[in-house]
Amino acid sequence: HTGPCWVSVAQEIDGQPSWLYRSWGPNALKLGTCEEDAILVDQEKVDALIRLTPEAFLTSLLFAQTTPSFIDLRSTDRMEIYSSVMGLDQWENYASSALDASNNLEAAAEEANLKISRLDGEIQTLQATDLRPAAAAWDREQKTRLKLADERIGEVQKRIKILEKKDPRFDDAKLRQAQDQTREAQRQLTEINTLLNVAQRIATETKRNNIGQKKCPTCGNLLKAGAQLLRHQHVHESVASLQTRLKKAEDANSAASDVCKGLEVSQGLARRIQAEISQEKATLRAETDRKSDLEGEKNPHTAAIQANTKRLIAAQAQLKALKVDTEETAQLIAATRFWVKGFKDIRLALIEESLQQLNVEANDCLFQLGLQDWKITFAIEQEGKSGNIKRGFHCSVCSPDSPEDVPW
């Protein structure tokens, strides 16, 4: 044969059609549902599809050519081929994956329980930290402070009203007028005193220069008669007139001084009262500003209460969600724990079922070969002479001449 060598197989695997083609010269391996859609694949793809490796196939032949037969292999090698053909490793992997998932879920549940404990503690602390009494106490104290501020403001306002009633409403123009009148009276008094001194000096000079026999009816001095006497008498009249004017001027000056002093006293009282009113008004502004500051103050506990309430609500919501997640995780843990054993049980069930079928098939072959009294038994576990369990794919043969099974 000079052309390429090829072979194709059409089969169904798990109810799905499959077409396999292999050629030599050139080498090619194709796989598809039919010949038309077949594509090039590697050997691993084929092994995964038919779940039988070339090594397992060769050792499964009744009369192998270049490899030892399955029954002639060591128990561990037979177990390896048996596991690959039956796909037992996948159930071990499933069980291992389920165990890993269970461990991860348990770790997550433990972490969630720690968070739940922390949240429980935080919630208890927040619930125990009740700032409402402190806030209410601060409100009461604030009302008291505002009431005292109103009382202080009212007292200051009363004092201002009393002072305003005492205020004489002094007019500085009156004082200036009185001071002008006093200065005018003092000027007139000085002028009269000057004129009086001049008149008295003239009277003295006329007396000294005009001594005679005529008696002055005013002063009783003896003076010369005639014009000198008349002049002397006129001086006396001037002095008397000036003295009268002096007395009036002194009275006017005294009265003006008294009025001025009274006005000065009134001015001092008015200024003192005005100063007190100004001071009380400054006090009133200070008290009003202090009250405004008090009214602008906010309860320092309100923000803390709001923050604690917000934290409490968030913690309770988080705790609720964690408990729901924990319950779901507990269900998943139970499910994964079930499948850890479940996948192993499936593996054991497959082994038991396949071994039963294999024992039947093998012994039927012995019977067809004329070995009716012979018996062959396959097992996964076998008890040794020391009582320990040997794991592997064991094969025992029982002949008519030997009542006991002989390991193959």
Side-chain angles (χ1 to χ4, degrees), residues 293-306:
D293 293 339
L294 286 174
E295 291 174 341
E297 289 182 0
K298 294 182 179 179
N299 194 322
H301 304 289
T302 302
I305 290 174
Q306 293 175 349

Side-chain angles (χ1 to χ4, degrees), residues 334-350:
T336 53
R337 283 178 178 173
F338 170 81
W339 281 111
V340 170
K341 184 176 182 300
F343 287 128
K344 292 181 179 180
D345 290 342
I346 292 174
R347 179 178 179 273
L348 291 176
L350 291 174

Side-chain angles (χ1 to χ4, degrees), residues 134-150 152 290-300:
W138 188 92
D139 288 335
R140 291 192 297 270
E141 293 175 358
Q142 182 71 346
K143 289 181 180 179
T144 302
R145 288 192 290 267
L146 290 172
K147 182 179 179 181
L148 292 175
D150 288 333
R152 289 193 298 270
R290 189 176 295 112
K291 181 185 176 182
S292 298
D293 293 339
L294 286 174
E295 291 174 341
E297 289 182 0
K298 294 182 179 179
N299 194 322

Side-chain angles (χ1 to χ4, degrees), residues 158-287:
K158 289 180 181 179
R159 292 198 298 269
I160 291 174
K161 289 181 179 179
I162 293 172
L163 289 173
E164 287 177 345
K165 289 181 180 180
K166 291 182 179 180
D167 188 5
R169 305 294 180 181
F170 183 78
D171 188 359
D172 291 337
K174 292 182 179 180
L175 178 59
R176 288 193 296 270
Q177 183 180 0
Q179 289 173 345
D180 292 340
Q181 292 174 355
T182 300
R183 284 192 292 271
E184 179 61 24
Q186 288 176 352
R187 186 189 64 76
Q188 291 179 3
L189 184 62
T190 300
E191 182 181 352
I192 293 171
N193 279 323
T194 301
L195 292 175
L196 182 59
N197 289 332
V198 171
Q200 289 176 346
R201 188 175 66 253
I202 292 173
T204 301
E205 289 177 355
T206 56
K207 180 182 72 172
R208 186 175 55 248
N209 297 329
N210 297 289
I211 298 174
Q213 301 299 323
K214 191 66 175 178
K215 186 178 181 178
C216 178
T218 302
C219 61
N221 293 321
L222 296 174
L223 299 172
K224 294 178 181 181
Q228 294 297 327
L229 179 59
L230 292 172
R231 183 181 178 191
H232 182 73
Q233 291 177 349
H234 179 70
V235 170
H236 275 301
E237 293 174 356
S238 297
V239 170
S241 177
L242 287 172
Q243 287 176 344
T244 300
R245 288 177 59 191
L246 179 61
K247 180 66 172 66
K248 291 181 179 180
E250 287 176 348
D251 292 341
N253 182 51
S254 178
S257 297
D258 291 340
V259 172
C260 188
K261 289 179 180 179
L263 291 173
E264 287 177 351
V265 171
S266 297
Q267 184 189 44
L269 176 62
R271 288 181 177 178
R272 187 177 71 254
I273 292 175
Q274 287 294 333
E276 291 179 1
I277 291 174
S278 298
Q279 184 177 0
E280 292 296 341
K281 287 183 177 180
T283 303
L284 179 61
R285 288 193 297 271
E287 291 296 338

